[in-house]
Amino acid sequence: MLTTHPLSHTVATDWTPTTWRSRPASHQPTYPCPAALQDTLRALAQRTALVDADKILQLRHLISQAQNGHGFILQGGDCAESFERCSKDATASQLKVLQQMSQVLMHGLQTPVICLARLAGQYAKPRSSERENQGQQTLPVYRGDIVNDSAFTPSARQADPERLLQAYACGASTLGFVRALYETGIDELLKPAHWPTAWIDALPERKAFQRTLQGVQHTTHFMTSLSGSDADRFLHRETFVSHEALLLDYENALTRKVPGLDGWFNLSTHFPWIGKRTAELEGAHVEYCRGIRNPMGVKIGPDVSPDALLALMDRLNPRNEPGRLTLIHRMGADLLRETLPALLNAVTRSGRNVLWLCDPMHGNTETLTCGTKTRRFEQIMREIEAAFSVHREHGTHLGGLHLELTGENVTECLGGARNLQPEDLSRRYLSKVDPRLNHEQALELALRVAHLAR
Ligand code: PEP
Ligand code: CO
């Protein structure tokens, strides 16, 4: 078994930030004017980095600790961020729900929780088909705001390279706001007035949940009062950011060398991940990701075999470095028990270092007869419960959750304490891609996980 120190690094000699260009790259747009794309990429390559390499390595260290059972990752945010909603209020709302959930999880799991937001770069989406039909018309599909616009018109759907610079600008302004909020205002978001609680009254478990919430708020208040101390730093554990490394031109342009450190870093985000649809061993996404030093995730669906998984792990982490690789399984509540054990056994037997996360969202998406895409709260919880118990049965550690959620009061997922029904969804359905848990549903999920842990 190969192991190395988490901060050591061997640079692959057959890799550069552009070797992916000789591999098949799926889910990339076609730009009408290649010269305009090249101009934009040159401009992007001149922009300053969005995140620090030191923080990337800090996250990698925290992930290596979580691999050993010390720490839990809460990764969450929008399915697709939009330029229109790149605002201080929307960002504050995301940080609020993630911070509140992480306080609840810390309390229940009795372990540090690391917030990893899907934020400041989650602008590109893989889609199941290239084109979309509406009535008689067929147009290129919406691929996320970094590529085109969601409106169903020919000009909106054309891929526009200017959007790469807009994505960079939105990412930069979001990160600037996150830093400012951590310096000045994050305590405010944790005060009891910002926690919705009325929803709890409808639940049979209300007494136990209320007690837990009171305990959480009590601890949070106490720790906030220790301003300037270690406890205060712990409470303010910062938020790291992540996005799917899908649009490789963007990732490539922000891949840099850093003075004093070996190797290459993707400085657009702390934690890029490879989506389920682009995790082919010989594809461009795996080729790009194998050469950067960031900690990274790979989404694993029910169709991945143990051998294919081990080959992927060897490619992305040939020296079996701790903290480097996170596997995010997204099996679906009905398939998890059938599909996960073989993968857990193969990885454990091979002695490979990995952090396991459960994404209970992407295997549980359904389309209602009216055409609306949704997910059921109860099914999401069922996958989480099954994941905890299958990991326990196999002697592995479930080190975190990967969720699509928002701090806003949307109606996109069914169920939860308010028991949202199909007819409620049209009330406030804002997501342009996948349905997210709303603030109440997200807190309910955190409370249920905290109680599960007891
Ligand atoms: C996503 O996380 O939004 C996504 C597309 O997931 P997956 O790659 O697991 O389908
Ligand atoms: Co999604």
Side-chain angles (χ1 to χ4, degrees):
M1 173 170 126
L2 274 170
T3 48
T4 53
H5 186 271
L7 301 187
S8 73
H9 183 72
T10 314
V11 184
T13 50
D14 58 346
W15 184 93
T16 72
T18 59
T19 47
W20 64 270
R21 291 188 185 276
S22 62
R23 302 294 180 100
S26 52
H27 297 275
Q28 308 301 292
T30 306
Y31 290 94
C33 175
L37 173 66
Q38 292 313 316
D39 287 347
T40 306
L41 295 180
R42 270 191 294 276
L44 199 53
Q46 293 302 316
R47 296 286 198 270
T48 54
L50 290 173
V51 301
D52 290 339
D54 285 351
K55 272 198 70 178
I56 291 174
L57 291 175
Q58 185 194 341
L59 175 63
R60 195 164 145 157
H61 176 66
L62 291 170
I63 292 174
S64 74
Q65 290 185 317
Q67 285 174 347
N68 296 326
H70 185 68
F72 191 82
I73 309 284
L74 174 62
Q75 187 176 18
D78 294 324
C79 179
E81 288 179 88
S82 72
F83 294 166
E84 183 191 318
R85 300 193 60 74
C86 169
S87 68
K88 63 179 178 41
D89 290 349
T91 307
S93 160
Q94 289 304 60
L95 295 183
K96 177 180 64 184
V97 65
L98 286 170
Q99 280 294 329
Q100 291 178 351
M101 289 175 81
S102 82
Q103 298 300 323
V104 171
L105 291 170
M106 242 180 316
H107 192 89
L109 303 173
Q110 302 277 300
T111 194
V113 174
I114 299 129
C115 272
L116 185 52
R118 287 173 64 119
L119 194 71
Q122 182 53 20
Y123 300 115
K125 297 309 300 174
R127 303 310 305 270
S128 41
S129 48
E130 295 271 310
R131 305 193 62 85
E132 181 182 344
N133 300 315
Q134 279 189 26
Q136 297 301 312
Q137 202 174 19
T138 162
L139 290 176
V141 76
Y142 169 62
R143 292 183 184 274
D145 277 8
I146 196 170
V147 174
N148 57 5
D149 190 288
S150 60
F152 194 74
T153 66
S155 63
R157 290 295 172 89
Q158 190 157 87
D160 177 0
E162 270 302 304
R163 288 179 164 270
L164 288 152
L165 294 172
Q166 270 176 284
Y168 172 89
C170 285
S173 88
T174 302
L175 285 163
F177 178 70
V178 171
R179 288 183 193 112
L181 193 66
Y182 274 86
E183 275 163 27
T184 58
I186 196 81
D187 283 352
E188 181 56 33
L189 300 180
L190 294 173
K191 287 190 176 151
H194 293 283
W195 297 65
T197 49
W199 59 275
I200 298 180
D201 295 343
L203 292 173
E205 303 94 334
R206 63 184 165 276
K207 286 230 158 59
F209 281 7
Q210 273 153 354
R211 255 198 315 277
T212 302
L213 271 189
Q214 276 158 11
V216 170
Q217 286 168 357
H218 205 78
T219 312
T220 311
H221 176 74
F222 172 64
M223 287 174 68
T224 309
S225 69
L226 302 176
S227 199
S229 66
D230 276 356
D232 177 58
R233 275 199 295 283
F234 183 68
L235 179 74
H236 293 92
R237 188 174 282 283
E238 40 200 331
T239 295
F240 295 90
V241 294
S242 63
H243 66 249
E244 180 174 347
L246 182 69
L247 188 61
L248 292 175
D249 278 329
Y250 181 79
E251 309 303 329
N252 185 163
L254 288 158
T255 300
R256 310 277 168 82
K257 282 200 175 270
V258 176
L261 294 171
D262 292 333
W264 294 85
F265 290 84
N266 180 332
L267 297 179
S268 75
T269 191
H270 303 113
F271 181 99
W273 78 84
I274 303 177
K276 175 185 183 292
R277 295 176 178 83
T278 49
E280 304 100 14
L281 185 62
E282 303 301 339
H285 293 82
V286 170
E287 173 59 21
Y288 166 74
C289 284
R290 86 180 165 96
I292 53 172
R293 289 192 62 187
N294 305 56
M296 68 179 58
V298 187
K299 294 283 201 93
I300 306 294
D303 47 351
V304 173
S305 71
D307 285 349
L309 180 58
L310 295 181
L312 200 54
M313 294 178 78
D314 279 346
R315 185 68 57 87
L316 292 169
N317 191 16
R319 292 170 59 83
N320 198 19
E321 295 172 27
R324 159 75 168 169
L325 201 56
T326 295
L327 299 179
I328 307 165
H329 50 77
R330 29 90 83 226
M331 301 303 185
D334 296 333
L335 288 179
L336 184 132
R337 282 192 172 276
E338 218 176 287
T339 52
L340 188 58
L343 302 179
L344 298 183
N345 287 336
V347 171
T348 303
R349 265 200 308 271
S350 73
R352 285 170 172 81
N353 292 305
V354 73
L355 181 73
W356 295 99
L357 299 194
C358 169
D359 166 355
M361 313 299 291
H362 288 88
N364 297 312
T365 314
E366 65 181 279
T367 305
L368 300 173
T369 42
C370 59
T372 305
K373 234 197 215 188
T374 191
R375 291 164 173 152
R376 293 171 197 271
F377 183 85
E378 164 272 321
Q379 217 169 342
I380 292 167
M381 274 316 303
R382 204 149 55 75
E383 179 155 358
I384 294 175
E385 286 169 24
F388 273 108
S389 66
V390 168
H391 276 280
R392 196 177 328 107
E393 287 155 22
H394 290 78
T396 46
H397 170 63
L398 179 60
L401 295 172
H402 180 115
L403 304 166
E404 287 184 342
L405 51 80
T406 170
E408 293 178 61
N409 183 19
V410 300
T411 55
E412 298 172 4
C413 290
L414 299 171
R418 301 229 186 236
N419 198 16
L420 291 186
Q421 296 298 305
E423 55 272 23
D424 295 318
L425 298 187
S426 61
R427 221 170 44 230
R428 200 145 193 273
Y429 196 110
L430 302 183
S431 176
K432 288 178 185 168
V433 191
D434 289 340
R436 302 160 296 173
L437 299 167
N438 63 28
H439 194 178
E440 294 177 346
Q441 289 169 327
L443 282 180
E444 180 178 352
L445 184 146
L447 276 162
R448 290 194 181 279
V449 171
H451 279 249
L452 207 63
R454 298 226 169 121

